Each structure stands twice: as C-alpha cells, then as structure tokens.
C-alpha cells in the first residue's frame, strides 16, 4: 500500500490514526498559508482556463488544457488535490463519503510516475453528526490502499479546519469550517482557497449523475465533458419542497444546515425549477472546449 510522507517521514496506522496524526501534527507552511487565506478565497475568473469539480466528482487535468483545477462549497466534504510536479498533471476530488471503487483508484494512479505525488487535503469541521470524520477517514483509507507514494503538502481536516462563531438559531453549536474550497495551479503546484466564477457546464445533469458512485465526467486527454444519459424521475420528490422556506430546505437537505454558504439554497431552488419542466430522461451529452465556452458535440 502507499506511503504518506509528512516532512519526509512515512506515516503508518489505520485511517482513523492517520486522521488523528494529520489533525494534531505540526502544520506545514502550506497548510498555515491555506488557513490564513481561508476566509478570503481568490476569485478564479471565468476567463481563466479552469476545470471545476462538483460534489461527488473527481477529475484529472493536463496543463496543456487547463491552468487551474479545483472545487468549492464543501462543508462536511473533503476536497483533495494531487499534483505531479514533473508532468504538471493535477487531480481533484470533491468527496462526500460515497463508496469508492477500483475504477476510482485507476484514475488517481494515472498520475503516478514512481516519485511522491504532492497531496493537499482540506475540509470537514467539528460537525454535530460527525459526518466530516467519516468522510475524511474513508478517503484516507482509499488513498492509503493505492500503490502510490504521496507527500503531504498540506492537510487541514476536521478539527483543524474548525472555527467558532455565534450560533444563529436553535440547534446551532457555532462550529463552522474555515476552508471550504481548494484550487491547484497545474504549472506551479500552488494551492489556494478559491471562488470559481465558472463552475462548469451542465450543472443539473451532473447533479443528477452524482448519486451512488463517484463520477468522472471530464476526459483530460480529449478535453471534453462526456455526460451519460440520466433519468430525472428519481429527483421529482424535490418538487414538493419548492414552496418551503429556506430554513426548511437547509434543515432537511444539508448535512450541515448552519454551515452552508450563500449559494446552497439558490442553487437548490434553481435545480427544483429545472426539474419542473425537465424531460424524464436527459440524453447523453458531449461538450468540447471552444473559444466561446463549452459547446455540444453532435
């Protein structure tokens, strides 16, 4: 199995012990820099060649097609970036605890060239349900089982990523995540918290695809999105929530109702509105990069 190297020393133990070590060990300079910038994410403009990874997705990006790869809007989720400084390939997963498979492992392994890959993990906080810990432990177990060496550039997970604020209403314990986003610069290997102006094409189809298994909807070699056909019928139950107030949506549809960012409810309402007039089946969709953005390929 793989070796997690922190400051050159290999880590061992099960994934819960690893998480404990990462939560309590000395912070790398890169982790300190991430925490310091956590409340002020850098804006990645729509004009930048970026690849945005949505929740329950993972992707590889090549420097010839993208400058930045990243993800955002994480609360109990874990965003992990892996960089190969020699090939300048990058990988990002926005992981929410879904079971991981050998197919998922194969994608990560394509970065491997026998030298340690740079690993950055952020996300989770001291949430009341303990969902963050479950997510981080599952992802560490997955990474630890890979036949790949990782050097931990930064790990800011769970309690390390927790800040306290004044509770906003009943049931709120005041715990919040500091870092909810992560971007990787493919050319330099720099990592930073980011807000993406462009969160990529076909958000509703991708949202529907992301149930049951980790999705890879972007093909790095051809620089195209390839979305499978997907039924909308499994999500029609959401329509009955359309008239409910924001608080109800947060309490019933979020793992961390007090920690979601301002985009959570508007995004959810946009998805509900889409479902009202959507066909029962969204057809397969291939999108290629053009000078005017992602365009369908017939």
């Amino acid at each position: 199995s793989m070796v997690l190297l922190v400051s050159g020393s290999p880590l061992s133990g099960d994934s819960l012990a690893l998480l404990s070590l990462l939560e309590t060990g000395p912070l790398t300079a890169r982790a300190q820099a991430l925490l310091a910038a956590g409340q002020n994410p850098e804006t990645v403009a729509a004009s930048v060649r970026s690849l945005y990874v949505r929740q329950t997705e993972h992707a590889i990006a090549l420097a010839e097609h993208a400058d930045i790869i990243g993800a955002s809007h994480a609360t109990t989720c874990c965003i992990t970036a892996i960089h190969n400084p020699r090939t300048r390939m990058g990988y990002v997963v926005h992981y929410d605890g879904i079971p991981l498979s050998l197919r998922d492992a194969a994608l990560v392994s394509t970065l491997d060239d026998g030298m340690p890959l740079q690993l950055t993990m952020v996300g989770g906080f001291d949430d009341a349900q303990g969902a963050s810990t479950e997510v981080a432990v599952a992802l560490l177990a997955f990474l630890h089982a890979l036949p790949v060496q990782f050097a931990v550039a930064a790990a800011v997970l769970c309690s390390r990523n927790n800040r306290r604020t004044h509770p906003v209403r009943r049931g709120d314990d005041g715990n919040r995540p500091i870092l909810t986003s992560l971007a990787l610069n493919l050319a330099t290997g720099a990592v930073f918290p980011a807000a993406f102006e462009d969160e990529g094409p076909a958000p509703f189809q991708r949202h529907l695809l992301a149930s049951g298994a980790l999705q890879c909807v972007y093909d790095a070699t051809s620089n195209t999105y390839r979305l499978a056909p997907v039924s909308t019928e499994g999500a029609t139950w959401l329509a009955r929530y359309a008239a409910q107030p924001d608080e109800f949506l947060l309490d019933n549809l979020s793992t961390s109702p007090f920690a979601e960012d301002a985009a959570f409810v508007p995004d959810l309402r946009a998805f509900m509105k889409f479902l009202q007039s959507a066909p029962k089946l969204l057809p397969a969709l291939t999108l290629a990069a053009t000078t005017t953005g992602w365009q369908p390929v017939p």
Side-chain angles (χ1 to χ4, degrees):
S1 82
M2 71 140 209
V3 185
L4 264 174
L5 300 166
V6 176
S7 314
S9 309
L11 290 182
S12 59
D14 65 15
S15 47
L16 194 58
L18 283 178
L19 177 61
S20 176
L21 278 168
L22 294 173
E23 280 184 292
T24 56
L27 277 172
T28 62
R30 202 173 279 199
Q32 289 170 341
L34 282 170
L35 281 167
Q39 298 296 287
N40 300 294
E42 200 176 304
T43 299
V44 177
S47 57
V48 172
R49 295 189 313 162
S50 67
L51 185 73
Y52 185 80
V53 179
R54 297 178 67 87
Q55 184 175 331
T56 326
E57 289 182 356
H58 63 162
I60 276 180
L62 306 178
E64 65 202 73
H65 299 313
D67 300 311
I68 304 284
I69 180 174
S72 60
H73 309 304
T75 55
T76 54
C77 290
C78 179
I79 302 173
T80 293
I82 301 169
H83 188 239
N84 183 323
R86 293 159 297 280
T87 63
R88 297 183 312 170
M89 283 171 75
Y91 166 93
V92 164
V93 59
H94 183 154
Y95 182 64
D96 62 2
I98 211 155
L100 293 158
S101 70
L102 288 171
R103 194 187 61 181
D104 302 327
L107 189 67
V108 183
S109 297
T110 56
L111 273 82
D112 185 33
D113 63 358
M115 299 287 281
L117 301 171
Q118 296 292 312
L119 177 75
T120 304
M121 303 179 77
V122 306
F125 66 111
D126 288 333
D127 68 285
Q129 277 73 47
S132 298
T133 300
E134 283 181 26
V135 167
V137 164
L139 189 55
L140 279 166
F142 169 73
L143 292 171
H144 207 45
L146 296 174
V148 178
Q149 278 203 351
F150 295 103
V152 180
V156 184
L157 298 167
C158 303
S159 60
R160 264 278 156 82
N161 196 39
N162 196 73
R163 64 184 173 91
R164 303 277 300 163
T165 188
H166 290 293
V168 292
R169 58 184 169 95
R170 198 175 158 196
D172 179 7
D173 59 11
N175 287 325
R176 301 285 189 275
I178 300 168
L179 289 159
T180 59
S181 63
L182 185 66
L184 167 69
N185 182 312
L186 294 170
T188 65
V191 284
F192 54 95
F196 289 79
E197 282 186 356
D198 180 2
E199 295 188 355
F204 303 136
Q205 186 152 349
R206 288 163 74 180
H207 186 72
L208 286 161
L209 285 166
S211 61
L214 199 60
Q215 297 295 313
C216 179
V217 296
Y218 171 77
D219 180 71
T221 313
S222 60
N223 192 25
T224 53
Y225 281 92
R226 294 178 185 174
L227 305 178
V230 64
S231 167
T232 57
E233 294 191 272
T236 47
W237 60 272
L238 266 175
R240 65 171 175 264
Y241 284 162
Q244 295 289 348
D246 293 0
E247 206 171 281
F248 182 91
L249 298 182
L250 285 162
D251 286 346
N252 288 277
L253 299 172
S254 168
T255 55
S256 50
F258 307 106
E260 296 292 356
D261 62 28
F264 182 84
V265 171
D267 285 355
L268 192 55
R269 292 205 185 278
F271 181 54
M272 288 172 175
K273 192 165 188 243
F274 165 78
L275 289 173
Q276 284 169 2
S277 56
K280 285 185 176 177
L281 186 76
L282 299 181
L285 183 60
T286 300
L287 299 158
T290 70
T291 49
T292 53
W294 297 98
Q295 298 296 335
V297 177

